[in-house]
Amino acid sequence: MTKDRQIAIALPTVRRLPMYIAVLEKAAQDGQAYMSSPQIAAVLGLEAIQVRKDLEAVGGTGQPRVGFPIRELIAAIETALGWDNATDAFVIGAGHLGTALAGYRGFARYGLSIIALFDTDPRKVGQTVHGKEILHIDKFADLVARLHVHIAILTVPAEAAVEAATRAAEAGIKALWNFTPAKLTPMDGVIIERVDLAASLAVLSSKLSSVVRSAEPAKPEQAGQI
Amino acid sequence: MTKDRQIAIALPTVRRLPMYIAVLEKAAQDGQAYMSSPQIAAVLGLEAIQVRKDLEAVGGTGQPRVGFPIRELIAAIETALGWDNATDAFVIGAGHLGTALAGYRGFARYGLSIIALFDTDPRKVGQTVHGKEILHIDKFADLVARLHVHIAILTVPAEAAVEAATRAAEAGIKALWNFTPAKLTPMDGVIIERVDLAASLAVLSSKLSSVVRSAEPAKPEQAGQI
């Protein structure tokens, strides 16, 4: 029952689940034991009916007039997401972004544990960032197999993305979290999920640039330093 | 002409522009002076016709049989994105993610310069991360006005997102880059662009979890340590 449940959860629900965890944990910290779907919905600006459906999808069972027991509900959501067990991940590309992600302690909250970084640059290989070693990419396939790592976080430059992704797939990586600006073509047996910071910032900059230009057409003011 | 051009660029094109910069810079580093749209397309796995249209949209003019002059083309794309001038930004929320972003040196490449972080936590206020000061949120509105800062990067917890966004809008922030799991409702005169790491990871985890469970139903193997 529990095993089958997760597969049935719709992706829009999956995307909202982390926000519920955040709200529930805050309430637990504040000493609350129960929280109702209208309460959760109010905090997040969502519809109560949507929140209730999402929580029912992970098997949360609320009590009338009381709501959901917070600790149990957090555990149910974490199980649904597979965040109840720490999942090891490798970072491919030890540049600025790979290094920043390796140091982002928030991933621990999501059950994601970055255990090493890989790069081709001999100046980087052998160094340690945030307590994690940078290894040569030639060691990647062997370590994926030995350590049963399923997730690779891709932070190589755009032009190296396709080669790195192919290499990861051949090594047996099952899920690629693609932070490069490159769009990867689907590969058999490999889940690809993309976070494109550069594209997102490009959209923001481009819209902002239009707004600022139309507001201050003559001479944009110079921002100073604190 | 140049002023109007940018407004006309379609968002899908805008999203691809950073990728072209990356490829062009790599080619320039390798000593190339010209690059054709089929060459760029081949590196990125795109259609040449799409690349040519995108590059024409930013005013790039290629020469037959030679291609685009790389340096000029990079400059044209940067102008189109507003990345040719450094844009100052504030980070609201000096937690793990805010701190990681403040230390991400890759933003400099996109003309984005984080000049300070803001938080409400008295234990954080006054500290310095990656050479940037953490200030109390009460100073935010004054500094936005004095320094003409247009962009705020939102990295507060989900339940604090709506309040922080409202505060930023009231202070005169024109663009919010929302890294919180909260979906913000549109506000007049404020551009909102979202990067939801937690949701993206939730989708990845949830799909991976199904794949791994169906492949190893009996007893998932334990990943070890290096």
Side-chain angles (χ1 to χ4, degrees):
Chain A
M1 185 68 179
T2 313
K3 288 206 172 183
D4 296 333
R5 187 187 286 136
Q6 182 181 340
I7 298 164
I9 302 178
L11 287 185
T13 295
V14 168
R15 297 184 70 86
R16 284 188 291 269
L17 293 177
M19 342 218 207
Y20 300 140
I21 294 184
V23 169
L24 292 165
E25 286 193 329
K26 177 67 167 50
Q29 274 173 26
D30 295 348
Q32 269 180 263
Y34 290 83
M35 203 168 182
S36 68
S37 36
Q39 284 173 326
I40 297 169
V43 175
L44 294 168
L46 299 173
E47 297 293 327
I49 177 87
Q50 183 174 64
V51 173
R52 198 175 67 238
K53 282 185 180 173
D54 286 346
L55 298 179
E56 281 170 4
V58 299
T61 42
Q63 294 166 27
R65 293 168 196 272
V66 183
F68 297 89
I70 289 179
R71 290 286 171 206
E72 280 177 39
L73 186 55
I74 292 174
I77 297 174
E78 287 179 342
T79 303
L81 290 174
W83 287 0
D84 48 348
N85 286 308
T87 305
D88 291 337
F90 284 152
V91 168
I92 307 179
H96 296 324
L97 185 58
T99 305
L101 293 179
Y104 174 39
R105 289 188 293 160
F107 285 147
R109 180 62 203 83
Y110 309 139
L112 190 76
S113 170
I114 293 173
I115 53 175
L117 296 86
F118 292 84
D119 209 292
T120 53
D121 185 345
R123 290 165 299 183
K124 289 176 186 163
V125 171
Q127 291 193 17
T128 301
V129 287
H130 304 290
K132 286 139 198 173
E133 211 181 335
I134 304 176
L135 304 167
H136 195 278
I137 190 71
D138 286 347
K139 296 189 176 167
F140 183 78
D142 181 47
L143 286 167
V144 165
R146 270 178 44 206
L147 304 178
H148 306 286
V149 171
H150 295 141
I151 299 182
I153 303 174
L154 207 59
T155 53
V156 296
E159 75 279 0
V162 173
E163 192 192 326
T166 308
R167 189 163 199 153
E170 285 169 0
I173 284 292
K174 293 190 169 67
L176 272 175
W177 205 11
N178 178 21
F179 278 78
T180 78
K183 195 175 174 187
L184 301 171
T185 45
M187 292 177 283
D188 259 0
V190 180
I191 296 150
I192 300 175
E193 175 68 22
R194 188 180 183 195
V195 174
D196 192 346
L197 289 179
S200 175
L201 182 58
V203 169
L204 193 80
S205 308
S206 150
K207 288 182 182 170
L208 176 64
S209 186
S210 311
V211 169
V212 172
R213 234 186 358 240
S214 54
E216 301 164 5
K219 182 171 173 282
E221 295 195 54
Q222 193 71 27
Q225 289 295 317
I226 287 179
Chain B
M1 185 67 179
T2 314
K3 287 203 173 185
D4 296 333
R5 186 186 290 137
Q6 182 178 342
I7 298 164
I9 302 179
L11 287 186
T13 295
V14 167
R15 296 184 71 87
R16 283 188 293 268
L17 292 178
M19 197 157 50
Y20 300 141
I21 295 185
V23 170
L24 292 165
E25 285 191 330
K26 177 66 168 50
Q29 274 173 27
D30 294 346
Q32 270 181 263
Y34 289 84
M35 204 169 181
S36 68
S37 37
Q39 283 173 328
I40 299 170
V43 176
L44 294 166
L46 298 174
E47 296 292 326
I49 178 89
Q50 182 175 64
V51 173
R52 198 175 66 235
K53 280 185 181 172
D54 286 346
L55 298 179
E56 281 171 3
V58 300
T61 41
Q63 294 165 26
R65 294 165 194 271
V66 184
F68 297 89
I70 290 179
R71 291 286 170 206
E72 279 177 37
L73 185 56
I74 293 174
I77 298 174
E78 286 179 344
T79 304
L81 291 173
W83 287 0
D84 47 347
N85 287 308
T87 306
D88 290 337
F90 283 152
V91 168
I92 308 180
H96 296 322
L97 186 57
T99 305
L101 292 179
Y104 174 39
R105 289 188 294 161
F107 284 147
R109 182 60 203 83
Y110 310 140
L112 190 76
S113 169
I114 294 173
I115 53 177
L117 296 86
F118 293 83
D119 209 290
T120 52
D121 186 343
R123 289 165 300 182
K124 287 177 187 164
V125 171
Q127 290 194 19
T128 301
V129 287
H130 302 291
K132 286 139 197 174
E133 211 180 337
I134 304 175
L135 304 167
H136 195 279
I137 190 73
D138 287 347
K139 295 189 177 168
F140 182 78
D142 182 46
L143 285 167
V144 166
R146 270 178 44 206
L147 303 180
H148 307 286
V149 171
H150 295 142
I151 299 182
I153 302 173
L154 207 60
T155 52
V156 297
E159 74 279 359
V162 173
E163 193 192 324
T166 309
R167 189 162 198 155
E170 286 169 0
I173 284 290
K174 292 189 172 68
L176 272 176
W177 205 12
N178 178 21
F179 278 79
T180 77
K183 195 175 174 184
L184 301 171
T185 44
M187 293 177 283
D188 260 0
V190 180
I191 296 150
I192 300 175
E193 176 69 21
R194 189 181 184 196
V195 174
D196 192 346
L197 289 179
S200 175
L201 182 58
V203 169
L204 192 79
S205 310
S206 153
K207 287 181 182 171
L208 176 63
S209 189
S210 310
V211 170
V212 172
R213 236 187 357 243
S214 53
E216 301 165 4
K219 185 169 169 279
E221 295 195 54
Q222 194 72 27
Q225 289 294 317
I226 286 180

